Amino acid sequence: MERRRLWGSIQSRYISMSVWTSPRRLVELAGQSLLKDEALAIAALELLPRELFPPLFMAAFDGRHSQTLKAMVQAWPFTCLPLGVLMKGQHLHLETFKAVLDGLDVLLAQEVRP
């Protein structure tokens, strides 16, 4: 239930409804397929439409894809990354959350973005 509420929050904040004219399941399947190859997922980030970042981020977080998460944080195309809801999750995996924070640390060290 917590994940569903988080997804709704991210969806309403970042994704226009026109993206969801195709079945939501198709987006989920594409994300799962991409995450099977971590190197490919990281390389694809520069080509990924910004609307797909939130669902892929959630799939990577749920699947504990630490390296992909770290790269996604560094490439995050929005001005806000809502991490508070992730910290409140019932099944928070600390290593996965640490990967997100590591990505933020690298991003802040680069001093290229707000």
Side-chain angles (χ1 to χ4, degrees):
M1 188 60 132
E2 184 71 26
R3 294 283 180 215
R4 197 175 289 173
R5 198 165 63 228
L6 172 62
W7 173 248
S9 170
I10 289 174
Q11 182 179 3
S12 67
R13 185 176 283 189
Y14 298 112
I15 302 173
S16 68
M17 293 309 288
S18 64
V19 172
W20 298 108
T21 56
S22 60
R24 182 174 162 194
R25 182 75 178 139
L26 183 59
V27 173
E28 292 171 2
L29 290 172
Q32 290 170 1
S33 177
L34 185 59
L35 289 172
K36 287 180 182 179
D37 184 345
E38 193 167 60
L40 179 62
I42 292 170
L45 291 177
E46 63 187 50
L47 303 172
L48 193 68
R50 63 186 276 148
E51 294 85 7
L52 296 181
F53 265 79
L56 186 62
F57 182 84
M58 289 307 302
F61 192 85
D62 288 341
R64 299 181 179 179
H65 298 275
S66 297
Q67 293 303 315
T68 303
L69 280 171
K70 185 175 177 180
M72 286 192 79
V73 169
Q74 294 172 43
W76 192 252
F78 305 104
T79 57
C80 178
L81 179 59
L83 298 179
V85 181
L86 294 177
M87 293 175 15
K88 295 176 185 175
Q90 291 178 331
H91 306 299
L92 177 65
H93 187 257
L94 293 179
E95 289 300 316
T96 307
F97 195 72
K98 183 182 178 313
V100 172
L101 295 178
D102 288 345
L104 281 174
D105 190 42
V106 170
L107 190 60
L108 290 172
Q110 293 174 354
E111 298 180 11
V112 294
R113 292 195 199 191

mmCIF file of all heavy atoms in Angstrom, residues 50-99:
data_model
loop_
_atom_site.group_PDB
_atom_site.id
_atom_site.type_symbol
_atom_site.label_atom_id
_atom_site.label_comp_id
_atom_site.label_asym_id
_atom_site.label_seq_id
_atom_site.Cartn_x
_atom_site.Cartn_y
_atom_site.Cartn_z
ATOM 1 N N ARG A 50 12.166 11.660 -20.000
ATOM 2 C CA ARG A 50 12.060 12.028 -18.583
ATOM 3 C C ARG A 50 10.811 11.463 -17.917
ATOM 4 O O ARG A 50 10.815 11.202 -16.723
ATOM 5 C CB ARG A 50 12.189 13.530 -18.399
ATOM 6 C CG ARG A 50 11.107 14.333 -19.068
ATOM 7 C CD ARG A 50 11.336 15.830 -18.980
ATOM 8 N NE ARG A 50 10.839 16.302 -17.703
ATOM 9 C CZ ARG A 50 11.357 17.305 -17.022
ATOM 10 N NH1 ARG A 50 12.367 17.966 -17.492
ATOM 11 N NH2 ARG A 50 10.856 17.672 -15.870
ATOM 12 N N GLU A 51 9.758 11.215 -18.682
ATOM 13 C CA GLU A 51 8.534 10.664 -18.110
ATOM 14 C C GLU A 51 8.728 9.242 -17.581
ATOM 15 O O GLU A 51 7.955 8.765 -16.769
ATOM 16 C CB GLU A 51 7.397 10.646 -19.149
ATOM 17 C CG GLU A 51 6.930 12.008 -19.577
ATOM 18 C CD GLU A 51 7.776 12.611 -20.702
ATOM 19 O OE1 GLU A 51 8.662 11.908 -21.246
ATOM 20 O OE2 GLU A 51 7.559 13.781 -21.026
ATOM 21 N N LEU A 52 9.751 8.569 -18.081
ATOM 22 C CA LEU A 52 9.985 7.194 -17.651
ATOM 23 C C LEU A 52 10.923 7.089 -16.452
ATOM 24 O O LEU A 52 11.083 6.004 -15.887
ATOM 25 C CB LEU A 52 10.523 6.371 -18.817
ATOM 26 C CG LEU A 52 9.563 6.220 -19.994
ATOM 27 C CD1 LEU A 52 10.189 5.377 -21.089
ATOM 28 C CD2 LEU A 52 8.247 5.615 -19.551
ATOM 29 N N PHE A 53 11.547 8.199 -16.060
ATOM 30 C CA PHE A 53 12.449 8.152 -14.913
ATOM 31 C C PHE A 53 11.747 7.706 -13.628
ATOM 32 O O PHE A 53 12.249 6.809 -12.945
ATOM 33 C CB PHE A 53 13.143 9.508 -14.708
ATOM 34 C CG PHE A 53 14.493 9.583 -15.348
ATOM 35 C CD1 PHE A 53 14.618 9.802 -16.704
ATOM 36 C CD2 PHE A 53 15.642 9.425 -14.595
ATOM 37 C CE1 PHE A 53 15.860 9.878 -17.299
ATOM 38 C CE2 PHE A 53 16.894 9.502 -15.182
ATOM 39 C CZ PHE A 53 17.004 9.725 -16.533
ATOM 40 N N PRO A 54 10.610 8.318 -13.245
ATOM 41 C CA PRO A 54 9.989 7.887 -11.984
ATOM 42 C C PRO A 54 9.613 6.407 -11.929
ATOM 43 O O PRO A 54 9.952 5.730 -10.953
ATOM 44 C CB PRO A 54 8.766 8.803 -11.864
ATOM 45 C CG PRO A 54 9.177 10.042 -12.599
ATOM 46 C CD PRO A 54 9.973 9.524 -13.777
ATOM 47 N N PRO A 55 8.952 5.843 -12.968
ATOM 48 C CA PRO A 55 8.631 4.416 -12.841
ATOM 49 C C PRO A 55 9.874 3.525 -12.857
ATOM 50 O O PRO A 55 9.924 2.505 -12.162
ATOM 51 C CB PRO A 55 7.714 4.124 -14.031
ATOM 52 C CG PRO A 55 7.847 5.261 -14.960
ATOM 53 C CD PRO A 55 8.323 6.419 -14.162
ATOM 54 N N LEU A 56 10.886 3.912 -13.631
ATOM 55 C CA LEU A 56 12.117 3.115 -13.647
ATOM 56 C C LEU A 56 12.846 3.238 -12.309
ATOM 57 O O LEU A 56 13.399 2.268 -11.804
ATOM 58 C CB LEU A 56 13.028 3.544 -14.798
ATOM 59 C CG LEU A 56 14.274 2.687 -14.992
ATOM 60 C CD1 LEU A 56 13.897 1.241 -15.321
ATOM 61 C CD2 LEU A 56 15.159 3.258 -16.081
ATOM 62 N N PHE A 57 12.822 4.430 -11.723
ATOM 63 C CA PHE A 57 13.437 4.637 -10.417
ATOM 64 C C PHE A 57 12.788 3.735 -9.368
ATOM 65 O O PHE A 57 13.473 3.076 -8.583
ATOM 66 C CB PHE A 57 13.320 6.110 -10.003
ATOM 67 C CG PHE A 57 13.974 6.420 -8.689
ATOM 68 C CD1 PHE A 57 15.330 6.681 -8.630
ATOM 69 C CD2 PHE A 57 13.234 6.440 -7.520
ATOM 70 C CE1 PHE A 57 15.937 6.960 -7.414
ATOM 71 C CE2 PHE A 57 13.831 6.721 -6.305
ATOM 72 C CZ PHE A 57 15.192 6.985 -6.246
ATOM 73 N N MET A 58 11.454 3.685 -9.380
ATOM 74 C CA MET A 58 10.758 2.851 -8.411
ATOM 75 C C MET A 58 11.046 1.374 -8.642
ATOM 76 O O MET A 58 11.248 0.619 -7.687
ATOM 77 C CB MET A 58 9.250 3.109 -8.465
ATOM 78 C CG MET A 58 8.856 4.457 -7.917
ATOM 79 S SD MET A 58 9.504 4.775 -6.251
ATOM 80 C CE MET A 58 8.808 3.423 -5.341
ATOM 81 N N ALA A 59 11.103 0.960 -9.903
ATOM 82 C CA ALA A 59 11.415 -0.444 -10.201
ATOM 83 C C ALA A 59 12.837 -0.781 -9.761
ATOM 84 O O ALA A 59 13.094 -1.853 -9.212
ATOM 85 C CB ALA A 59 11.232 -0.716 -11.697
ATOM 86 N N ALA A 60 13.767 0.139 -9.983
ATOM 87 C CA ALA A 60 15.153 -0.082 -9.561
ATOM 88 C C ALA A 60 15.249 -0.117 -8.040
ATOM 89 O O ALA A 60 15.984 -0.926 -7.472
ATOM 90 C CB ALA A 60 16.057 1.007 -10.133
ATOM 91 N N PHE A 61 14.504 0.760 -7.381
ATOM 92 C CA PHE A 61 14.522 0.774 -5.914
ATOM 93 C C PHE A 61 13.930 -0.514 -5.361
ATOM 94 O O PHE A 61 14.518 -1.149 -4.491
ATOM 95 C CB PHE A 61 13.764 1.994 -5.383
ATOM 96 C CG PHE A 61 13.973 2.222 -3.922
ATOM 97 C CD1 PHE A 61 15.073 2.938 -3.474
ATOM 98 C CD2 PHE A 61 13.091 1.709 -2.991
ATOM 99 C CE1 PHE A 61 15.287 3.132 -2.123
ATOM 100 C CE2 PHE A 61 13.290 1.904 -1.635
ATOM 101 C CZ PHE A 61 14.394 2.622 -1.194
ATOM 102 N N ASP A 62 12.780 -0.903 -5.879
ATOM 103 C CA ASP A 62 12.130 -2.138 -5.410
ATOM 104 C C ASP A 62 12.984 -3.366 -5.698
ATOM 105 O O ASP A 62 13.007 -4.307 -4.913
ATOM 106 C CB ASP A 62 10.756 -2.303 -6.056
ATOM 107 C CG ASP A 62 9.735 -1.319 -5.507
ATOM 108 O OD1 ASP A 62 9.956 -0.756 -4.413
ATOM 109 O OD2 ASP A 62 8.712 -1.105 -6.184
ATOM 110 N N GLY A 63 13.686 -3.359 -6.839
ATOM 111 C CA GLY A 63 14.523 -4.495 -7.219
ATOM 112 C C GLY A 63 15.929 -4.439 -6.654
ATOM 113 O O GLY A 63 16.752 -5.309 -6.935
ATOM 114 N N ARG A 64 16.219 -3.382 -5.867
ATOM 115 C CA ARG A 64 17.528 -3.218 -5.211
ATOM 116 C C ARG A 64 18.684 -3.173 -6.209
ATOM 117 O O ARG A 64 19.724 -3.786 -5.993
ATOM 118 C CB ARG A 64 17.736 -4.303 -4.176
ATOM 119 C CG ARG A 64 16.701 -4.279 -3.078
ATOM 120 C CD ARG A 64 16.937 -5.357 -2.059
ATOM 121 N NE ARG A 64 15.926 -5.279 -1.014
ATOM 122 C CZ ARG A 64 15.852 -6.103 -0.001
ATOM 123 N NH1 ARG A 64 16.711 -7.081 0.126
ATOM 124 N NH2 ARG A 64 14.912 -5.954 0.894
ATOM 125 N N HIS A 65 18.489 -2.419 -7.279
ATOM 126 C CA HIS A 65 19.533 -2.239 -8.290
ATOM 127 C C HIS A 65 20.371 -1.012 -7.912
ATOM 128 O O HIS A 65 20.174 0.080 -8.438
ATOM 129 C CB HIS A 65 18.901 -2.069 -9.675
ATOM 130 C CG HIS A 65 18.112 -3.244 -10.118
ATOM 131 N ND1 HIS A 65 18.689 -4.332 -10.742
ATOM 132 C CD2 HIS A 65 16.787 -3.527 -10.019
ATOM 133 C CE1 HIS A 65 17.752 -5.222 -11.013
ATOM 134 N NE2 HIS A 65 16.593 -4.763 -10.582
ATOM 135 N N SER A 66 21.309 -1.209 -7.001
ATOM 136 C CA SER A 66 22.042 -0.096 -6.394
ATOM 137 C C SER A 66 22.819 0.746 -7.400
ATOM 138 O O SER A 66 22.770 1.979 -7.342
ATOM 139 C CB SER A 66 22.995 -0.625 -5.318
ATOM 140 O OG SER A 66 22.268 -1.240 -4.286
ATOM 141 N N GLN A 67 23.546 0.123 -8.298
ATOM 142 C CA GLN A 67 24.353 0.896 -9.249
ATOM 143 C C GLN A 67 23.466 1.692 -10.208
ATOM 144 O O GLN A 67 23.768 2.832 -10.559
ATOM 145 C CB GLN A 67 25.310 -0.021 -10.024
ATOM 146 C CG GLN A 67 26.387 -0.631 -9.153
ATOM 147 C CD GLN A 67 27.214 0.421 -8.432
ATOM 148 O OE1 GLN A 67 27.630 1.409 -9.018
ATOM 149 N NE2 GLN A 67 27.428 0.218 -7.141
ATOM 150 N N THR A 68 22.372 1.096 -10.621
ATOM 151 C CA THR A 68 21.437 1.803 -11.495
ATOM 152 C C THR A 68 20.821 2.989 -10.764
ATOM 153 O O THR A 68 20.700 4.080 -11.322
ATOM 154 C CB THR A 68 20.327 0.853 -11.998
ATOM 155 O OG1 THR A 68 20.940 -0.257 -12.661
ATOM 156 C CG2 THR A 68 19.384 1.558 -12.945
ATOM 157 N N LEU A 69 20.459 2.797 -9.509
ATOM 158 C CA LEU A 69 19.895 3.886 -8.715
ATOM 159 C C LEU A 69 20.879 5.041 -8.582
ATOM 160 O O LEU A 69 20.520 6.209 -8.734
ATOM 161 C CB LEU A 69 19.503 3.394 -7.324
ATOM 162 C CG LEU A 69 18.190 2.657 -7.229
ATOM 163 C CD1 LEU A 69 18.041 2.027 -5.847
ATOM 164 C CD2 LEU A 69 17.029 3.584 -7.519
ATOM 165 N N LYS A 70 22.115 4.711 -8.288
ATOM 166 C CA LYS A 70 23.141 5.745 -8.135
ATOM 167 C C LYS A 70 23.275 6.550 -9.424
ATOM 168 O O LYS A 70 23.314 7.782 -9.411
ATOM 169 C CB LYS A 70 24.478 5.095 -7.767
ATOM 170 C CG LYS A 70 25.572 6.069 -7.458
ATOM 171 C CD LYS A 70 26.819 5.337 -6.990
ATOM 172 C CE LYS A 70 27.957 6.290 -6.751
ATOM 173 N NZ LYS A 70 29.157 5.592 -6.289
ATOM 174 N N ALA A 71 23.284 5.875 -10.557
ATOM 175 C CA ALA A 71 23.385 6.558 -11.849
ATOM 176 C C ALA A 71 22.118 7.359 -12.149
ATOM 177 O O ALA A 71 22.183 8.458 -12.708
ATOM 178 C CB ALA A 71 23.649 5.542 -12.959
ATOM 179 N N MET A 72 20.959 6.822 -11.774
ATOM 180 C CA MET A 72 19.705 7.532 -12.028
ATOM 181 C C MET A 72 19.629 8.833 -11.241
ATOM 182 O O MET A 72 19.163 9.847 -11.751
ATOM 183 C CB MET A 72 18.504 6.652 -11.669
ATOM 184 C CG MET A 72 18.251 5.554 -12.655
ATOM 185 S SD MET A 72 16.650 4.785 -12.396
ATOM 186 C CE MET A 72 15.605 6.022 -13.173
ATOM 187 N N VAL A 73 20.087 8.814 -10.005
ATOM 188 C CA VAL A 73 20.083 10.038 -9.199
ATOM 189 C C VAL A 73 20.956 11.092 -9.860
ATOM 190 O O VAL A 73 20.590 12.267 -9.939
ATOM 191 C CB VAL A 73 20.541 9.740 -7.752
ATOM 192 C CG1 VAL A 73 20.800 11.021 -6.982
ATOM 193 C CG2 VAL A 73 19.513 8.879 -7.037
ATOM 194 N N GLN A 74 22.093 10.686 -10.372
ATOM 195 C CA GLN A 74 22.997 11.633 -11.021
ATOM 196 C C GLN A 74 22.422 12.186 -12.318
ATOM 197 O O GLN A 74 22.739 13.299 -12.717
ATOM 198 C CB GLN A 74 24.342 10.962 -11.283
ATOM 199 C CG GLN A 74 25.074 10.612 -10.009
ATOM 200 C CD GLN A 74 26.304 9.776 -10.270
ATOM 201 O OE1 GLN A 74 27.061 10.049 -11.191
ATOM 202 N NE2 GLN A 74 26.504 8.747 -9.469
ATOM 203 N N ALA A 75 21.547 11.421 -12.976
ATOM 204 C CA ALA A 75 20.953 11.851 -14.247
ATOM 205 C C ALA A 75 19.521 12.357 -14.070
ATOM 206 O O ALA A 75 18.863 12.657 -15.063
ATOM 207 C CB ALA A 75 20.966 10.677 -15.228
ATOM 208 N N TRP A 76 19.031 12.445 -12.841
ATOM 209 C CA TRP A 76 17.635 12.792 -12.567
ATOM 210 C C TRP A 76 17.263 14.103 -13.269
ATOM 211 O O TRP A 76 17.898 15.132 -13.038
ATOM 212 C CB TRP A 76 17.428 12.908 -11.060
ATOM 213 C CG TRP A 76 16.002 12.971 -10.634
ATOM 214 C CD1 TRP A 76 15.350 14.061 -10.163
ATOM 215 C CD2 TRP A 76 15.057 11.891 -10.625
ATOM 216 N NE1 TRP A 76 14.049 13.728 -9.859
ATOM 217 C CE2 TRP A 76 13.835 12.415 -10.134
ATOM 218 C CE3 TRP A 76 15.115 10.550 -11.001
ATOM 219 C CZ2 TRP A 76 12.699 11.632 -9.997
ATOM 220 C CZ3 TRP A 76 13.981 9.773 -10.858
ATOM 221 C CH2 TRP A 76 12.785 10.311 -10.361
ATOM 222 N N PRO A 77 16.241 14.091 -14.117
ATOM 223 C CA PRO A 77 15.931 15.272 -14.935
ATOM 224 C C PRO A 77 15.016 16.301 -14.267
ATOM 225 O O PRO A 77 14.701 17.320 -14.866
ATOM 226 C CB PRO A 77 15.235 14.658 -16.148
ATOM 227 C CG PRO A 77 14.547 13.450 -15.604
ATOM 228 C CD PRO A 77 15.468 12.919 -14.524
ATOM 229 N N PHE A 78 14.596 16.048 -13.040
ATOM 230 C CA PHE A 78 13.676 16.952 -12.359
ATOM 231 C C PHE A 78 14.419 17.719 -11.266
ATOM 232 O O PHE A 78 15.494 17.305 -10.840
ATOM 233 C CB PHE A 78 12.514 16.164 -11.741
ATOM 234 C CG PHE A 78 11.784 15.292 -12.724
ATOM 235 C CD1 PHE A 78 11.977 13.929 -12.741
ATOM 236 C CD2 PHE A 78 10.906 15.843 -13.645
ATOM 237 C CE1 PHE A 78 11.309 13.113 -13.647
ATOM 238 C CE2 PHE A 78 10.229 15.049 -14.552
ATOM 239 C CZ PHE A 78 10.433 13.678 -14.554
ATOM 240 N N THR A 79 13.826 18.796 -10.793
ATOM 241 C CA THR A 79 14.469 19.586 -9.741
ATOM 242 C C THR A 79 14.233 19.005 -8.351
ATOM 243 O O THR A 79 14.877 19.419 -7.398
ATOM 244 C CB THR A 79 13.974 21.045 -9.764
ATOM 245 O OG1 THR A 79 12.552 21.045 -9.630
ATOM 246 C CG2 THR A 79 14.383 21.735 -11.044
ATOM 247 N N CYS A 80 13.336 18.053 -8.241
ATOM 248 C CA CYS A 80 13.016 17.464 -6.944
ATOM 249 C C CYS A 80 13.069 15.939 -7.047
ATOM 250 O O CYS A 80 12.561 15.358 -8.006
ATOM 251 C CB CYS A 80 11.616 17.923 -6.523
ATOM 252 S SG CYS A 80 11.069 17.233 -4.960
ATOM 253 N N LEU A 81 13.686 15.327 -6.056
ATOM 254 C CA LEU A 81 13.714 13.862 -5.956
ATOM 255 C C LEU A 81 13.069 13.496 -4.621
ATOM 256 O O LEU A 81 13.677 13.679 -3.570
ATOM 257 C CB LEU A 81 15.151 13.339 -6.029
ATOM 258 C CG LEU A 81 15.364 11.844 -5.928
ATOM 259 C CD1 LEU A 81 14.634 11.111 -7.037
ATOM 260 C CD2 LEU A 81 16.844 11.519 -5.971
ATOM 261 N N PRO A 82 11.814 13.029 -4.629
ATOM 262 C CA PRO A 82 11.076 12.805 -3.380
ATOM 263 C C PRO A 82 11.536 11.551 -2.641
ATOM 264 O O PRO A 82 11.022 10.460 -2.859
ATOM 265 C CB PRO A 82 9.630 12.674 -3.848
ATOM 266 C CG PRO A 82 9.732 12.180 -5.246
ATOM 267 C CD PRO A 82 11.009 12.731 -5.805
ATOM 268 N N LEU A 83 12.497 11.721 -1.756
ATOM 269 C CA LEU A 83 13.054 10.585 -1.033
ATOM 270 C C LEU A 83 12.358 10.321 0.291
ATOM 271 O O LEU A 83 12.489 9.241 0.854
ATOM 272 C CB LEU A 83 14.549 10.810 -0.775
ATOM 273 C CG LEU A 83 15.408 10.945 -2.014
ATOM 274 C CD1 LEU A 83 16.856 11.194 -1.607
ATOM 275 C CD2 LEU A 83 15.308 9.716 -2.878
ATOM 276 N N GLY A 84 11.617 11.283 0.787
ATOM 277 C CA GLY A 84 10.969 11.121 2.084
ATOM 278 C C GLY A 84 10.064 9.917 2.157
ATOM 279 O O GLY A 84 10.047 9.193 3.153
ATOM 280 N N VAL A 85 9.312 9.671 1.105
ATOM 281 C CA VAL A 85 8.389 8.539 1.115
ATOM 282 C C VAL A 85 9.158 7.223 1.098
ATOM 283 O O VAL A 85 8.732 6.243 1.705
ATOM 284 C CB VAL A 85 7.413 8.638 -0.081
ATOM 285 C CG1 VAL A 85 6.439 7.487 -0.082
ATOM 286 C CG2 VAL A 85 6.669 9.954 -0.025
ATOM 287 N N LEU A 86 10.308 7.200 0.432
ATOM 288 C CA LEU A 86 11.117 5.974 0.420
ATOM 289 C C LEU A 86 11.598 5.636 1.825
ATOM 290 O O LEU A 86 11.685 4.478 2.199
ATOM 291 C CB LEU A 86 12.321 6.134 -0.505
ATOM 292 C CG LEU A 86 12.049 6.289 -1.991
ATOM 293 C CD1 LEU A 86 13.358 6.498 -2.737
ATOM 294 C CD2 LEU A 86 11.311 5.093 -2.542
ATOM 295 N N MET A 87 11.930 6.658 2.605
ATOM 296 C CA MET A 87 12.438 6.438 3.962
ATOM 297 C C MET A 87 11.350 5.916 4.890
ATOM 298 O O MET A 87 11.636 5.291 5.899
ATOM 299 C CB MET A 87 13.027 7.729 4.524
ATOM 300 C CG MET A 87 14.260 8.151 3.785
ATOM 301 S SD MET A 87 15.004 9.730 4.240
ATOM 302 C CE MET A 87 14.319 10.204 5.743
ATOM 303 N N LYS A 88 10.085 6.159 4.552
ATOM 304 C CA LYS A 88 8.979 5.726 5.392
ATOM 305 C C LYS A 88 8.482 4.328 5.036
ATOM 306 O O LYS A 88 7.607 3.806 5.689
ATOM 307 C CB LYS A 88 7.819 6.717 5.279
ATOM 308 C CG LYS A 88 8.158 8.074 5.823
ATOM 309 C CD LYS A 88 7.024 9.037 5.615
ATOM 310 C CE LYS A 88 7.420 10.421 6.064
ATOM 311 N NZ LYS A 88 6.393 11.415 5.762
ATOM 312 N N GLY A 89 9.029 3.742 3.995
ATOM 313 C CA GLY A 89 8.567 2.432 3.549
ATOM 314 C C GLY A 89 8.772 1.370 4.607
ATOM 315 O O GLY A 89 9.717 1.412 5.389
ATOM 316 N N GLN A 90 7.880 0.405 4.628
ATOM 317 C CA GLN A 90 7.956 -0.661 5.622
ATOM 318 C C GLN A 90 9.168 -1.560 5.411
ATOM 319 O O GLN A 90 9.723 -2.084 6.349
ATOM 320 C CB GLN A 90 6.687 -1.508 5.572
ATOM 321 C CG GLN A 90 5.472 -0.772 6.058
ATOM 322 C CD GLN A 90 4.226 -1.633 5.946
ATOM 323 O OE1 GLN A 90 4.142 -2.505 5.079
ATOM 324 N NE2 GLN A 90 3.271 -1.403 6.823
ATOM 325 N N HIS A 91 9.560 -1.733 4.167
ATOM 326 C CA HIS A 91 10.650 -2.659 3.862
ATOM 327 C C HIS A 91 11.846 -1.903 3.291
ATOM 328 O O HIS A 91 12.381 -2.269 2.259
ATOM 329 C CB HIS A 91 10.185 -3.723 2.869
ATOM 330 C CG HIS A 91 8.961 -4.443 3.319
ATOM 331 N ND1 HIS A 91 8.915 -5.186 4.473
ATOM 332 C CD2 HIS A 91 7.722 -4.527 2.795
ATOM 333 C CE1 HIS A 91 7.712 -5.704 4.622
ATOM 334 N NE2 HIS A 91 6.965 -5.313 3.617
ATOM 335 N N LEU A 92 12.263 -0.858 3.974
ATOM 336 C CA LEU A 92 13.387 -0.062 3.507
ATOM 337 C C LEU A 92 14.665 -0.892 3.561
ATOM 338 O O LEU A 92 15.023 -1.440 4.601
ATOM 339 C CB LEU A 92 13.542 1.193 4.362
ATOM 340 C CG LEU A 92 14.729 2.086 4.021
ATOM 341 C CD1 LEU A 92 14.559 2.671 2.624
ATOM 342 C CD2 LEU A 92 14.873 3.196 5.032
ATOM 343 N N HIS A 93 15.305 -1.006 2.440
ATOM 344 C CA HIS A 93 16.571 -1.721 2.355
ATOM 345 C C HIS A 93 17.681 -0.679 2.440
ATOM 346 O O HIS A 93 17.820 0.156 1.546
ATOM 347 C CB HIS A 93 16.636 -2.522 1.041
ATOM 348 C CG HIS A 93 17.821 -3.398 0.969
ATOM 349 N ND1 HIS A 93 18.923 -3.084 0.226
ATOM 350 C CD2 HIS A 93 18.086 -4.586 1.568
ATOM 351 C CE1 HIS A 93 19.825 -4.034 0.360
ATOM 352 N NE2 HIS A 93 19.329 -4.965 1.155
ATOM 353 N N LEU A 94 18.434 -0.697 3.511
ATOM 354 C CA LEU A 94 19.397 0.361 3.774
ATOM 355 C C LEU A 94 20.480 0.473 2.705
ATOM 356 O O LEU A 94 20.901 1.576 2.361
ATOM 357 C CB LEU A 94 20.018 0.179 5.158
ATOM 358 C CG LEU A 94 19.044 0.380 6.324
ATOM 359 C CD1 LEU A 94 19.741 0.146 7.654
ATOM 360 C CD2 LEU A 94 18.430 1.766 6.276
ATOM 361 N N GLU A 95 20.932 -0.641 2.177
ATOM 362 C CA GLU A 95 21.970 -0.590 1.140
ATOM 363 C C GLU A 95 21.450 0.095 -0.128
ATOM 364 O O GLU A 95 22.174 0.829 -0.785
ATOM 365 C CB GLU A 95 22.488 -1.995 0.824
ATOM 366 C CG GLU A 95 23.324 -2.594 1.928
ATOM 367 C CD GLU A 95 24.560 -1.761 2.244
ATOM 368 O OE1 GLU A 95 25.246 -1.310 1.321
ATOM 369 O OE2 GLU A 95 24.833 -1.570 3.443
ATOM 370 N N THR A 96 20.200 -0.165 -0.455
ATOM 371 C CA THR A 96 19.607 0.462 -1.625
ATOM 372 C C THR A 96 19.461 1.962 -1.396
ATOM 373 O O THR A 96 19.786 2.775 -2.266
ATOM 374 C CB THR A 96 18.227 -0.161 -1.936
ATOM 375 O OG1 THR A 96 18.373 -1.571 -2.025
ATOM 376 C CG2 THR A 96 17.668 0.372 -3.232
ATOM 377 N N PHE A 97 18.993 2.340 -0.230
ATOM 378 C CA PHE A 97 18.844 3.760 0.078
ATOM 379 C C PHE A 97 20.210 4.442 0.120
ATOM 380 O O PHE A 97 20.364 5.587 -0.298
ATOM 381 C CB PHE A 97 18.097 3.944 1.395
ATOM 382 C CG PHE A 97 17.613 5.346 1.584
ATOM 383 C CD1 PHE A 97 16.558 5.829 0.822
ATOM 384 C CD2 PHE A 97 18.209 6.188 2.492
ATOM 385 C CE1 PHE A 97 16.110 7.131 0.974
ATOM 386 C CE2 PHE A 97 17.767 7.482 2.655
ATOM 387 C CZ PHE A 97 16.726 7.956 1.895
ATOM 388 N N LYS A 98 21.222 3.746 0.598
ATOM 389 C CA LYS A 98 22.584 4.290 0.614
ATOM 390 C C LYS A 98 23.066 4.569 -0.806
ATOM 391 O O LYS A 98 23.748 5.561 -1.053
ATOM 392 C CB LYS A 98 23.542 3.335 1.327
ATOM 393 C CG LYS A 98 24.949 3.883 1.437
ATOM 394 C CD LYS A 98 25.863 2.876 2.115
ATOM 395 C CE LYS A 98 27.282 3.336 2.216
ATOM 396 N NZ LYS A 98 27.874 3.895 1.035
ATOM 397 N N ALA A 99 22.704 3.719 -1.757
ATOM 398 C CA ALA A 99 23.089 3.946 -3.155
ATOM 399 C C ALA A 99 22.475 5.245 -3.670
ATOM 400 O O ALA A 99 23.121 5.998 -4.405
ATOM 401 C CB ALA A 99 22.661 2.772 -4.029
#
